[in-house]
Amino acid sequence: MLNKNVFLKKYFLMTRSEENYLKTIFHLGGGDSKSITTNAIAEQMETKPSSVTDMAKKLAEKGLVNYVKYQGVSLTNSGVKTALSIIRKHRLWEVFLVEKLDFSWDEVHEVAEQLEHIKSEKLIDKIDELLNFPKYDPHGDPIPTKDGKFQERDKKLLSEMAINATGVCVGVKDSSVPFLKFLDKNKIALGNSIKVLDKEDFDNSLRIQLEGKEIRISHQIASNLYVKKND
Amino acid sequence: MLNKNVFLKKYFLMTRSEENYLKTIFHLGGGDSKSITTNAIAEQMETKPSSVTDMAKKLAEKGLVNYVKYQGVSLTNSGVKTALSIIRKHRLWEVFLVEKLDFSWDEVHEVAEQLEHIKSEKLIDKIDELLNFPKYDPHGDPIPTKDGKFQERDKKLLSEMAINATGVCVGVKDSSVPFLKFLDKNKIALGNSIKVLDKEDFDNSLRIQLEGKEIRISHQIASNLYVKKND
DNA sequence: AATTAAATTTAGACAAAACTAAAAATAGAT
DNA sequence: ATCTATTTTTAGTTTTGTCTAAATTTAATT
Ligand SMILES: [Mn+2]
Ligand SMILES: [Mn+2]
Ligand SMILES: [Mn+2]
Ligand SMILES: [Mn+2]
């Protein structure tokens, strides 16, 4: 009885901390068999490199990451699968909070960080169904399907669009609370139509048409907004 | 910074384990300044008495329980308040799962055990609103209000009702999965009308009318079903 | 009142997840 | 190729929550 639980725990059950590490490694690109350094992971997670080393060993033991001393970690197939299932939960909960509970897009991340660790396959599948199987979360990020398929959208940073090009705002690169609140205040939202009117060479700021109205936008903003170009 | 966090953690932030202890103590009657023994708590939580002793000290330090060596623990006002907020969350999530996601009443407890620890006041208030401020959970247990008010229903065990008395089934005493599944199989549900027809002295079984149909019920079942008597 | 049984606490250990400080390995620059 | 700065790992601690085994207190019985 005790031995069986120790076995399950060691090789199958995921702790919250382990899940957070997998998610971070995935977001840093470790899903494409690219090696991520312990330092990079530590910085992202606001923890210490030595803690990351400890966890790397544990995750390697579970077959979730490839870890070679001094060479960093990458996700195994199993690790990718697990990371995607957590990201799927995170983004579905974010949609739920916005669509069903009237949260604003700057409030959802913090709560989703907790909800993503709830263990119930039925729960998340039912939430998915309730939301009518959404493809994107409130920040425009794609939601992996139940079987881990990922549909990245064809999008471009607004700052990289040519003059006179038109499109629709579909996502944010920076999804920090201050940036999202800034966009709200300036009435910039996902789904808005955009046309690039002019670029200012001096400071790289843009003059754009947003839902018909002409506004000026700094480079900082333009380089954090994703646009889907019209054909 | 570090000192501030240590301070917050020690005196304000609740861990999942601490929350589970408070909830258990409350369910064992520790809210009415009755002393609950460490043994009773240990048995309920499937843990060891020595672990309970450790936690009792920690909760006392936080001002959540009164703890006197060898005398057991009872909840302080602050402890009751905290316990009620967790029970409120647990029961609201149970309603949510049944009402919005089509879970059956025997599936919700396990998931609610996880969801009750999500920390977001806004989240639970919005869930409450979405559900239209329900007063009872799927097992007939009352849901505390935001400010901790408790409306226990006037109910009686079916086994204690007099012959010819009528009422409505409003709750279960045993809310274990097997019992709930048994009730489903026998088409006994909350809201059903009940009339006691006859009692068998030999084995204390009952003959009752359930939604018009006459059925026979063992004492074991009758002593785990709550009925609200008609006036 | 003394003895015994049961309940409770203490002491010491362990696993998980973090930390600090020191040691080792790698990469960059001469 | 050697030295040096940076990165990474190791070793040893800490905190939380648990456990076992031993000691202590309380309750029950004679
Ligand atoms: Mn998020
Ligand atoms: Mn998001
Ligand atoms: Mn429950
Ligand atoms: Mn319930």
Side-chain angles (χ1 to χ4, degrees):
Chain A
M1 181 61 119
L2 202 131
N3 274 331
K4 184 184 155 199
N5 280 333
V6 167
F7 176 78
L8 282 175
K9 196 161 190 178
K10 185 155 187 191
Y11 296 107
F12 293 99
L13 304 177
M14 301 290 296
T15 67
R16 176 179 294 228
S17 184
E18 287 168 345
E19 291 185 344
N20 283 333
Y21 273 95
L22 288 183
K23 203 178 44 156
T24 301
I25 295 166
F26 183 90
H27 282 134
L28 291 173
D32 316 312
S33 62
K34 196 179 93 182
S35 245
I36 312 297
T37 67
T38 48
N39 251 17
I41 298 166
E43 185 176 18
Q44 181 73 25
M45 299 187 72
E46 299 184 75
T47 180
K48 301 292 167 182
S50 54
S51 307
V52 179
T53 302
D54 287 345
M55 185 55 86
K57 289 174 183 170
K58 205 185 308 174
L59 292 175
E61 184 74 21
K62 285 191 175 180
L64 296 162
V65 304
N66 306 115
Y67 169 58
V68 184
K69 258 195 196 181
Y70 294 102
Q71 302 299 128
V73 297
S74 64
L75 297 174
T76 62
N77 286 343
S78 166
V80 169
K81 212 181 124 233
T82 308
L84 283 176
S85 95
I86 300 154
I87 291 167
R88 169 177 159 79
K89 286 193 275 182
H90 182 102
R91 292 179 180 167
L92 280 172
W93 279 115
E94 287 191 342
V95 175
F96 171 78
L97 294 173
V98 167
E99 295 292 316
K100 299 295 175 185
L101 302 187
D102 290 311
F103 276 61
S104 58
W105 68 344
D106 60 286
E107 296 173 311
V108 297
H109 180 75
E110 187 193 332
V111 184
E113 284 291 304
Q114 299 179 62
L115 288 164
E116 71 188 5
H117 301 291
I118 300 290
K119 276 152 188 84
S120 165
E121 207 180 315
K122 176 162 185 172
L123 173 59
I124 202 61
D125 290 344
K126 285 289 191 176
I127 290 281
D128 195 17
E129 186 185 332
L130 179 74
L131 299 169
N132 221 243
F133 311 103
K135 291 200 164 53
Y136 301 98
D137 85 358
H139 313 102
D141 294 314
I143 298 173
T145 61
K146 195 171 153 60
D147 53 319
K149 296 275 177 295
F150 221 90
Q151 56 251 298
E152 191 61 71
R153 187 147 32 185
D154 174 45
K155 67 194 177 186
K156 254 185 133 163
L157 286 177
L158 175 53
S159 57
E160 289 164 356
M161 285 179 70
I163 292 177
N164 286 324
T166 63
V168 176
C169 184
V170 294
V172 291
K173 185 169 174 217
D174 171 8
S175 56
S176 69
V177 172
F179 183 55
L180 298 177
K181 281 189 163 159
F182 170 89
L183 294 177
D184 281 347
K185 200 171 65 187
N186 290 277
K187 306 251 187 286
I188 303 172
L190 301 199
N192 286 174
S193 68
I194 284 187
K195 178 176 186 182
V196 180
L197 299 176
D198 198 18
K199 293 193 182 194
E200 176 58 64
D201 275 347
F202 175 64
D203 64 353
N204 282 311
S205 69
L206 293 181
R207 213 157 46 79
I208 65 170
Q209 211 168 55
L210 182 85
E211 292 281 301
K213 273 169 303 193
E214 193 182 315
I215 61 170
R216 176 160 288 286
I217 262 183
S218 73
H219 178 69
Q220 198 182 341
I221 306 306
S223 61
N224 278 298
L225 273 179
Y226 285 120
V227 177
K228 181 177 186 305
K229 262 192 2 188
N230 293 338
D231 329 283
Chain B
M1 179 62 118
L2 203 131
N3 274 332
K4 183 185 157 202
N5 280 332
V6 168
F7 176 78
L8 281 174
K9 194 160 191 181
K10 184 154 189 191
Y11 296 107
F12 293 100
L13 303 178
M14 303 290 294
T15 67
R16 174 178 296 228
S17 184
E18 288 168 344
E19 291 184 344
N20 283 333
Y21 273 97
L22 289 184
K23 204 178 42 154
T24 300
I25 295 166
F26 183 89
H27 282 135
L28 290 172
D32 315 313
S33 63
K34 194 179 96 185
S35 245
I36 312 298
T37 67
T38 49
N39 253 15
I41 298 166
E43 185 177 17
Q44 180 75 23
M45 298 187 73
E46 298 184 76
T47 181
K48 302 290 166 182
S50 55
S51 307
V52 178
T53 301
D54 286 345
M55 185 55 85
K57 289 173 183 170
K58 206 185 309 173
L59 292 174
E61 183 74 18
K62 285 192 175 179
L64 296 162
V65 304
N66 307 115
Y67 169 59
V68 186
K69 258 195 197 183
Y70 295 101
Q71 303 298 128
V73 298
S74 64
L75 297 174
T76 63
N77 287 343
S78 166
V80 170
K81 213 181 124 233
T82 309
L84 283 176
S85 97
I86 299 155
I87 291 167
R88 169 178 158 80
K89 286 193 275 181
H90 182 103
R91 293 180 179 167
L92 281 171
W93 278 115
E94 287 191 340
V95 176
F96 171 78
L97 294 173
V98 166
E99 295 292 317
K100 299 296 176 183
L101 302 187
D102 291 311
F103 275 60
S104 57
W105 67 344
D106 59 289
E107 296 174 311
V108 297
H109 179 77
E110 186 194 332
V111 184
E113 283 291 304
Q114 299 179 61
L115 287 163
E116 71 188 5
H117 301 291
I118 300 289
K119 275 149 187 90
S120 166
E121 207 180 316
K122 176 163 184 172
L123 173 59
I124 202 61
D125 289 345
K126 285 287 191 175
I127 289 282
D128 195 18
E129 187 186 332
L130 179 74
L131 299 170
N132 222 245
F133 310 103
K135 292 203 164 52
Y136 300 97
D137 85 358
H139 314 103
D141 295 313
I143 299 173
T145 60
K146 197 170 151 61
D147 54 319
K149 294 276 178 293
F150 221 90
Q151 54 251 297
E152 192 59 70
R153 187 149 29 187
D154 173 45
K155 67 194 177 187
K156 252 185 135 164
L157 286 177
L158 174 52
S159 57
E160 290 165 354
M161 285 179 70
I163 292 179
N164 285 323
T166 63
V168 177
C169 184
V170 294
V172 292
K173 185 167 175 221
D174 171 7
S175 56
S176 69
V177 171
F179 183 56
L180 299 177
K181 280 189 165 162
F182 170 88
L183 294 176
D184 282 346
K185 201 171 65 184
N186 290 278
K187 308 249 185 287
I188 303 172
L190 302 198
N192 286 172
S193 68
I194 284 186
K195 178 176 185 181
V196 179
L197 299 176
D198 198 18
K199 293 193 181 192
E200 177 57 65
D201 275 346
F202 176 63
D203 64 353
N204 281 311
S205 68
L206 293 182
R207 214 157 46 80
I208 65 170
Q209 211 168 55
L210 183 84
E211 292 283 302
K213 273 167 306 194
E214 192 181 317
I215 61 172
R216 176 160 288 285
I217 263 182
S218 72
H219 178 69
Q220 217 208 305
I221 305 306
S223 61
N224 278 297
L225 272 179
Y226 286 119
V227 176
K228 182 178 186 303
K229 263 194 356 190
N230 293 337
D231 330 280

